[in-house]
Amino acid sequence: MKATGAATAAAGLGATGAAAGDGTRSKRIKDLIEAMTIEQKVGQMTQVAIDDLGEGFGPDTAFNDHDDADTLGELFADLHVGSILNGGATGPTYDGEEFVEGLNGLQEYNLEVNEPSIPFVWGCDALHGNCLLEGCTSFPQRLNMGATRDVDLVEAAATHTGDSVAAIGGHWTFGPTLDVLRDMRWGRYFEGHSEDAMLLGEMGKARARGFQANGRVAGTVKHFAGYGTPNTGSDRTHARTSMRDLRTRQFEPYRRGLEEAKTVMVNSGAVNGKPAHASPWLLTTVLRGRFGFDGVVLTDWDDFERMLSNHEYLPDTDAGWRESVRQGIEAGIDMHMCGGETAPTEFIDTVIDLVESGELAEQRIDESVRRILDLKADIGLFEDPLAPEDEIGDIVGGAADVSERLAKESLVLLQNEDDALPLEGVDDLLLTGPGVHEGMENRFLMQHGGWTLGWQGIEDGELTPDGPRPRQNTIEGELDARLGDGLTHVPTEYEPAAYESLYENFDNGFFDVTDEQAAAISEAAPGSDAVVVVLGEGTHNEGFGDRDKMRFLEAQRELVELVDSETGDDVPLVGVILAGSPRGTAETFQHLDAVLFAGQPGSDTGVAIADTLFGDYNPSGKLPFTWESHVGHVPQIYDEYPPRHPDGAGDQMVQFEFGHGLSYTDWEYADLSLSTASVKNPASTPTVTAHVTVENAGETAGEHVVEVYNTESYGSVLQPHRRLMGFERVALEPGECETVAVDLDLSTLEVVPGDVPGWGPRVVEAGEYELWVGTDWGVNADDEDGGETATLTVGKTASITDPEPTPGRYDIDGDGDEDFEDVMALHRRLKHRRRRR
């Protein structure tokens, strides 16, 4: 049943309530904006967090975050606020039916008291499922999704998420995250899909498409731009990089995601000395001009305030705050997410004063309001502001088949000495480690990660035995169901860090092995047919997860050494890693026969890992990042995989290559061919299809990801050592062959030619490109000369992604000068002068 009351509220907008297809929406929105006061306009540009409210959403509920509004209702009646959010995956209730009833009631109240009667747009962090609700399906984290290379399956998960957000009365989810992963020290590493720009962009585009599939929810490309590459590895800090790198690697995932997503969230950090929120070049020249984006641009949490506090870009004074707001809106911000420091009236009053003083043109405000109203119209808010209240019960906990398959496909088998896996003839298994669940302890947190019923995961106040949980199965539970009395489990110490102590606990939890636990392990290990040790890291998010190490914590390293010392050479010792980043080094891996990187697989962790350990599922995941051998190598190798170093020095820097992932069977390739061996003009032929015969040459059925790389090329600037051009999944029985077609995206070959500044257009340069397909690469390959190769000849240098130069397109300093044309004119003059000499 659809909620009733305020049935004609949307009609209070008059003409704006019409469907978009009647050809008059733009004029009606324009007329509405002209009739609005400046207070009403700026209210639409204001988003307010309501995380800390008590139970329910009633208009009389105390508004505790800010002292300038006594009740939530006053935000609409007096401040005309256009958007609210529940940040951090925490809502006022964990019950879906209460959620939609409360949001509908609040929307009805807003439509009754707000003038004009414009529905609010409600946003949330539903980032790996709608993990605001008890019993929800927690999909594998974004890092896991990248390991699957399964774009269709990732889109299916996002579609379920979007349906769930709509069913609780929501309209907006702040994903996909399209920040390039280059530094495992970064606390948000688990939120990204890959270090590869093309793979990351295609995953993000699919997720945006899925979120928005029902037409009632908007997706968000974030964090534009360069957020994932802070030089110090610390969250919300400075990214210093080249124009060439920005153009070829950093912008590319966002470019792809913007083909689908309706909104953009801005980088909380700074790029090359400029806070992203204050950069007209990033937000107007590039985002609006270069990429043609005309949707809503939203700040991240309190980021006008961060220009003062985090970046010290402006003085921490009233004047500094005022200037940060002015610069941000001038740069291209449409809506401010008021966080913990900024009261909505402070923002609203500041913008009104800037307009009245002439420092901001009201026309600029109108542009933002028009985009916000267009968004609300696009997702049907004016036609249908209330959500049906009978949908959510059928959606919560759904898509279990998608979740389980994603979890399985995301598991990456890092090493498997002497075919330790799959486990065979195992009747007695010892299961130990901090990731092992027992009773009402909260080890299962490690399988979900952050943004799960809480910002840092299921946070301190909710760790009670009867507290909210996602739908889930656990490693221990599934192994117990399989082995019964044959399973001996000895959990070691793990306690999540309480929220108030997160800054003092950089390991995101407390890990230890007591004397009693060590004795139990020593007693059980010798009589076991196999041992599985579940290792990893505590749940975390944002700056609280920043770290300066990739090795396991001392207690975990000592645990592995203990188990190794207590088991014979014929007893398989298997490590399973639950972590949102590469954790573990050769120091520990040398003690393990097999290592399975599980990431944070979510609700169906137990089934996925148990089935994989015992061979019911053959692992097929591929690393979406380079696994360095030491954290000190992180800043050095991100641009090349593997890095170029003489005498094999690069091999010592990398443990596992991008794309590494073992299988229980053998895969062989033959007869690599291209749909065309020569491309005259890549701009007119941006895609080439590779065909290669793949054989399952082993004795186990399985899935395999076929990846085609460019591995050798030369041009006017340095070329990456290896570039992923396309990928495809295949499933084969033992002895079965299949010719697989892989579409190759030639834009992955684009470079920015010219000298150091890197201001020219991206082009695929004329020349020969060696393409390679094989089972493994570099330091992890059994035979580095293996695989199949083919040569693609490009006859003409041409651009695929860059259109013809336009005035001001590369206005580097934001002063209106046409830097690109000026630089190219200078280049032509210098070239002509050299010829004369």
Side-chain angles (χ1 to χ4, degrees):
M1 295 292 293
K2 187 157 294 195
T4 58
T8 60
L13 283 156
T16 318
D22 66 5
T24 63
R25 190 177 91 182
S26 294
K27 182 179 184 304
R28 293 179 175 187
I29 287 179
K30 180 181 177 182
D31 291 344
L32 173 63
I33 293 172
E34 289 179 353
M36 293 170 70
T37 66
I38 186 62
E39 290 82 4
Q40 292 165 345
K41 293 176 182 178
V42 180
Q44 287 297 307
M45 298 172 65
T46 308
Q47 184 180 73
V48 180
I50 60 171
D51 311 47
D52 296 332
L53 296 176
E55 295 181 0
F57 289 89
D60 296 327
T61 304
F63 186 60
N64 300 321
D65 273 356
H66 308 289
D67 59 9
D68 56 359
D70 293 330
T71 66
L72 186 58
E74 289 182 56
L75 293 174
F76 306 113
D78 298 338
L79 302 181
H80 315 287
V81 165
S83 180
I84 58 175
L85 80 149
N86 286 109
T90 304
T93 174
Y94 295 107
D95 181 272
E97 294 180 357
E98 289 181 2
F99 216 119
V100 63
E101 182 181 357
L103 266 182
N104 275 345
L106 191 59
Q107 186 74 276
E108 288 181 300
Y109 178 82
N110 165 56
L111 294 170
E112 289 171 2
V113 303
N114 209 339
E115 179 62 38
S117 186
I118 299 174
F120 61 70
V121 57
W122 181 90
C124 67
D125 292 294
L127 301 177
H128 62 119
N130 183 10
C131 294
L132 284 79
L133 304 179
E134 183 166 17
C136 65
T137 291
S138 165
F139 291 110
Q141 287 283 1
R142 281 60 56 83
L143 196 66
N144 288 69
M145 294 180 186
T148 69
R149 309 297 203 265
D150 196 331
V151 174
D152 292 340
L153 195 61
V154 167
E155 182 175 345
T159 300
H160 178 268
T161 303
D163 289 345
S164 181
V165 169
I168 61 171
H171 320 113
W172 197 355
T173 184
F174 303 132
T177 303
L178 293 180
D179 306 317
V180 175
L181 297 181
R182 287 185 177 167
D183 197 328
M184 57 74 58
R185 299 174 298 174
W186 186 41
R188 304 188 76 162
Y189 198 87
F190 70 97
E191 295 195 56
H193 297 90
S194 180
E195 70 182 29
D196 183 84
M198 182 271 283
L199 173 60
L200 173 58
E202 290 303 301
M203 286 282 176
K205 183 162 65 174
R207 292 185 68 221
R209 190 165 54 240
F211 289 146
Q212 299 176 167
N214 57 38
R216 296 155 57 192
V217 172
T220 307
V221 163
K222 68 180 189 184
H223 306 82
F224 193 85
Y227 186 50
T229 58
N231 290 70
T232 64
S234 298
D235 191 39
R236 288 189 162 96
T237 56
H238 200 157
R240 297 176 180 86
T241 188
S242 68
M243 181 62 64
R244 181 168 279 113
D245 177 61
L246 279 172
R247 304 270 320 290
T248 57
R249 302 288 291 280
Q250 300 276 1
F251 288 160
E252 179 62 14
Y254 305 116
R255 179 189 72 82
R256 293 174 188 257
L258 288 168
E259 294 177 13
E260 296 287 346
K262 296 180 182 294
T263 71
V264 164
M265 184 182 289
V266 180
N267 173 7
S268 287
V271 180
N272 292 343
K274 191 75 169 179
H277 283 74
S279 172
W281 185 76
L282 277 176
L283 303 185
T284 298
T285 302
V286 176
L287 180 60
R288 301 288 191 198
R290 169 67 185 86
F291 295 137
F293 180 73
D294 194 38
V296 172
V297 174
L298 172 73
T299 74
D300 205 338
W301 181 272
D302 241 353
D303 271 337
F304 288 151
E305 173 68 25
R306 291 186 197 278
M307 282 198 242
L308 285 56
S309 57
N310 285 43
H311 305 307
E312 296 184 354
Y313 172 71
L314 292 164
D316 193 0
T317 62
D318 290 344
W321 156 258
R322 190 173 189 276
E323 180 62 9
S324 72
V325 173
R326 188 196 68 78
Q327 288 194 29
I329 294 176
E330 286 282 18
I333 298 295
D334 295 314
M335 183 180 288
H336 175 46
M337 183 187 291
C338 299
E341 299 296 329
T342 307
T345 51
E346 185 178 5
F347 170 69
I348 292 170
D349 290 346
T350 299
V351 177
I352 292 171
D353 186 59
L354 287 166
V355 171
E356 291 177 346
S357 67
E359 296 169 78
L360 272 178
E362 188 164 357
Q363 181 181 0
R364 171 65 193 88
I365 303 302
D366 291 351
E367 290 175 2
S368 290
V369 177
R370 189 265 304 165
R371 294 185 187 112
I372 292 164
L373 297 182
D374 268 338
L375 173 66
K376 294 180 178 184
D378 283 345
I379 59 177
L381 270 176
F382 292 135
E383 297 174 78
D384 226 349
L386 306 180
E389 295 183 7
D390 58 355
E391 290 184 357
I392 189 62
D394 295 329
I395 291 177
V396 174
D401 55 337
V402 174
S403 173
E404 180 180 325
R405 183 152 190 83
L406 263 181
K408 288 179 175 179
E409 290 185 5
S410 71
L411 303 181
V412 181
L413 184 59
L414 296 179
Q415 69 183 44
N416 194 20
E417 301 294 333
D418 300 322
D419 295 329
L421 289 178
L423 299 175
E424 296 178 351
V426 173
D427 296 318
D428 294 299
L429 176 70
L430 171 61
L431 177 66
T432 187
V436 177
H437 172 72
E438 181 181 51
M440 289 302 176
E441 296 182 38
N442 297 290
R443 319 307 180 86
F444 73 88
L445 285 170
M446 293 174 66
Q447 74 185 51
H448 296 286
W451 304 111
T452 310
L453 295 169
W455 177 35
Q456 301 291 326
I458 302 173
E459 293 172 6
D460 185 51
E462 301 297 341
L463 293 180
T464 57
D466 58 349
R469 299 288 185 269
R471 178 190 66 77
Q472 62 185 3
N473 47 68
T474 65
I475 299 172
E476 180 202 14
E478 294 303 313
L479 291 178
D480 183 66
R482 184 181 289 262
L483 296 171
D485 292 340
L487 177 68
T488 300
H489 58 274
V490 183
T492 59
E493 297 300 297
Y494 164 54
E495 184 65 34
Y499 177 77
E500 60 270 13
S501 66
L502 282 170
Y503 273 126
E504 289 76 40
N505 185 265
F506 295 104
D507 295 323
N508 310 115
F510 302 91
F511 298 86
D512 196 10
V513 181
T514 67
D515 292 342
E516 182 181 358
Q517 290 163 350
I521 291 168
S522 296
E523 180 181 354
S528 299
D529 298 324
V531 180
V532 173
V533 186
V534 183
L535 307 165
E537 62 184 5
T539 180
H540 61 265
N541 210 341
E542 301 188 21
F544 297 112
D546 295 343
R547 80 293 302 274
D548 60 1
K549 61 178 74 73
M550 65 185 301
R551 68 181 185 272
F552 292 115
L553 300 178
E554 183 178 11
Q556 297 186 39
R557 301 197 305 271
E558 291 177 350
L559 171 64
V560 172
E561 293 172 12
L562 170 64
V563 176
D564 188 25
S565 69
E566 297 290 349
T567 55
D569 293 339
D570 58 340
V571 177
L573 177 52
V574 179
V576 175
I577 302 173
L578 294 177
S581 63
R583 294 302 293 258
T585 63
E587 172 189 14
T588 299
F589 293 158
Q590 66 180 338
H591 295 284
L592 298 168
D593 298 305
V595 179
L596 187 68
F597 180 70
Q600 293 164 326
S603 285
D604 294 288
T605 294
V607 170
I609 290 177
D611 282 0
T612 301
L613 291 177
F614 281 89
D616 297 327
Y617 181 78
N618 189 348
S620 60
K622 299 285 188 181
L623 283 181
F625 54 82
T626 302
W627 193 307
E628 297 86 1
S629 57
H630 188 277
V631 72
H633 297 148
V634 168
Q636 303 177 46
I637 70 171
Y638 63 74
D639 198 41
E640 302 174 290
Y641 40 107
R644 290 192 183 101
H645 283 277
D647 303 322
D651 292 355
Q652 301 171 18
M653 298 173 65
V654 176
Q655 287 191 96
F656 305 107
E657 310 291 353
F658 173 95
H660 173 70
L662 304 179
S663 171
Y664 295 156
T665 192
D666 297 317
W667 301 95
E668 294 183 359
Y669 292 88
D671 304 325
L672 175 64
S673 64
L674 305 176
S675 57
T676 176
S678 178
V679 173
K680 292 183 179 180
N681 182 353
S684 58
T685 310
T687 304
V688 170
T689 302
H691 295 87
V692 64
T693 300
V694 183
E695 179 184 1
N696 182 344
E699 299 178 353
T700 304
E703 299 173 45
H704 183 60
V705 179
V706 180
E707 296 189 317
V708 181
Y709 292 87
N710 160 231
T711 53
E712 186 175 284
S713 52
Y714 301 91
S716 63
V717 293
L718 295 180
Q719 307 286 305
H721 201 178
R722 189 166 62 134
R723 291 181 280 204
L724 179 63
M725 298 184 67
F727 50 89
E728 193 68 43
R729 270 189 165 268
V730 61
L732 297 176
E733 295 295 321
E736 187 179 4
C737 292
E738 182 175 322
T739 298
V740 179
V742 183
D743 290 335
L744 308 180
D745 185 342
L746 297 190
S747 72
T748 59
L749 303 178
E750 286 186 322
V751 297
V752 177
D755 215 322
V756 172
W759 291 346
R762 286 174 51 171
V763 297
V764 179
E765 294 188 308
E768 292 187 347
Y769 295 83
E770 181 185 82
L771 308 186
W772 177 90
V773 60
T775 55
D776 218 332
W777 174 270
V779 300
N780 307 125
D782 295 329
D783 179 5
E784 292 190 25
D785 296 324
E788 292 286 305
T789 61
T791 299
L792 176 69
T793 301
V794 175
K796 175 184 177 181
T797 296
S799 172
I800 296 174
T801 59
D802 275 357
E804 290 300 313
T806 56
R809 188 172 120 218
Y810 296 111
D811 178 9
I812 305 303
D813 53 13
D815 64 359
D817 293 337
E818 297 171 10
D819 299 299
F820 170 74
E821 293 188 349
D822 292 343
V823 169
M824 293 306 293
L826 175 62
H827 174 72
R828 288 192 292 270
R829 289 198 300 272
L830 292 174
K831 187 174 181 181
H832 180 66
R833 185 180 302 169
R834 285 196 299 272
R835 286 177 176 170
R836 286 193 300 173
R837 289 177 179 172

